[in-house]
């Protein structure tokens, strides 16, 4: 979404930005052997950030439940 990769470090955990909408996805392995075998790893993918339309949909979904 913002052309950024968020990762954990040795001292800090992975922090997902506030208002991010995350879905399950995958990311290709860039190590030569992984690339040769076509491997990928599970990853959280940010598809968008919350906005007024998203908030309205969430509110409607809550009302319908």
């Amino acid at each position: 979404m913002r052309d950024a990769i968020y990762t954990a470090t040795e001292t800090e955990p992975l922090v997902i930005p506030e208002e991010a909408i995350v879905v399950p996805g995958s990311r290709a392995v860039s190590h030569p052997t992984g690339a040769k075998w076509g491997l990928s790893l599970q990853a959280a993918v940010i598809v968008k950030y919350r906005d007024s339309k998203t908030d309205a949909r969430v509110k409607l979904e809550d009302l319908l439940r």
Side-chain angles (χ1 to χ4, degrees), residues 30-45:
S30 59
H31 185 277
T33 304
K36 175 183 169 185
W37 292 343
L39 299 178
S40 61
L41 299 172
Q42 290 182 330
V45 178

Side-chain angles (χ1 to χ4, degrees), residues 21 47-65:
I21 297 178
V47 293
K48 69 180 271 182
Y49 288 85
R50 288 183 75 141
D51 57 16
S52 58
K53 278 180 81 175
T54 308
D55 289 338
R57 287 181 181 168
V58 169
K59 188 173 184 178
L60 176 60
E61 187 175 318
D62 286 342
L63 291 171
L64 292 173
R65 287 183 183 191

